[in-house]
Amino acid sequence: DAGTDALAIDNEGRYVAYVGWVGEGVYLIDTTTNSISQISEGASSPNTCASVSISDDGRYVAFGCYSDASGNEIYIYDTAAQQLKSIEDKNGAPLDGSEPMISGNGRYIAFSSSSNALVEGDTDNLQDVFVYDVLSKVIHRVSVTAAGAQAYGAAASQFMYPSPGKDGSLVVFITNSGGLSPESTDLH
């Protein structure tokens, strides 16, 4: 490839995950076996993928792909089981989200979405940041005020580049939305 759109490496340096040039699939390099495999095979649109992230131990890789039929979807790949699964919303439909970032322990995936169908009370029709708990399959919206209310802003409101901490207890993101208290330390 001439380059890559996204790149991630685990803390031990065993696994390197990357999105091929112009979104052409998600690949995993295992540096101990010197092998490369396309882990986005099985995704609804394996060749239109974007961001990629990997857990600290390299066990889980999260990435997003886009399909004309279903929109943005988030996937998680288990390197130990060599298994790919789509992250689903509470109704069992593919989760409408992008820019997934997995926590260091692999339990949480932070992502952005403009869908109002992911959690109760999301009625602003704007992009928000959410956290998906891989074990409980519960979704929390974290781009809210300290009191839990929706952030305010016009159509320009945007949340970008969500990133969970090592254990998923904190999430950082960039926004131009108003109403979020800088004193708030409990975002998740």
Side-chain angles (χ1 to χ4, degrees):
D1 278 353
T4 182
D5 280 342
L7 181 70
I9 187 168
D10 71 355
N11 282 354
E12 302 299 319
R14 177 178 178 178
Y15 292 108
V16 178
Y18 68 96
V19 176
W21 188 248
V22 193
E24 295 177 353
V26 178
Y27 298 86
L28 184 69
I29 300 171
D30 183 337
T31 61
T32 60
T33 63
N34 292 321
S35 62
I36 301 174
S37 57
Q38 183 178 6
I39 61 173
S40 59
E41 287 292 329
S44 63
S45 186
N47 294 321
T48 43
C49 300
S51 56
V52 63
S53 65
I54 193 165
S55 62
D56 286 351
D57 64 0
R59 171 87 190 254
Y60 300 103
V61 179
F63 60 91
C65 294
Y66 178 80
S67 162
D68 288 335
S70 56
N72 292 312
E73 293 184 43
I74 296 175
Y75 295 89
I76 187 167
Y77 182 80
D78 182 334
T79 60
Q82 296 183 340
Q83 186 175 38
L84 176 69
K85 73 175 184 174
S86 174
I87 301 298
E88 299 175 342
D89 67 17
K90 61 186 174 195
N91 300 317
L95 188 115
D96 177 10
S98 60
E99 300 174 337
M101 294 296 291
I102 198 161
S103 63
N105 63 10
R107 179 168 177 180
Y108 302 99
I109 300 174
F111 63 96
S112 59
S113 177
S114 56
S115 172
N116 285 349
L118 300 179
V119 296
E120 297 293 322
D122 186 359
T123 59
D124 60 10
N125 294 315
L126 299 173
Q127 189 175 37
D128 291 299
V129 174
F130 299 87
V131 172
Y132 176 82
D133 185 328
V134 174
L135 295 180
S136 71
K137 299 182 179 182
V138 172
I139 300 169
H140 297 280
R141 182 170 54 154
V142 297
S143 55
V144 295
T145 68
Q150 296 185 128
Y152 60 82
S157 179
Q158 189 174 35
F159 294 92
M160 300 173 53
Y161 310 114
S163 181
K166 187 175 188 89
D167 65 0
S169 62
L170 295 174
V171 178
V172 296
F173 51 87
I174 298 171
T175 182
N176 64 356
S177 186
L180 298 176
S181 171
E183 296 84 47
S184 176
T185 58
D186 186 16
L187 296 177
H188 172 185

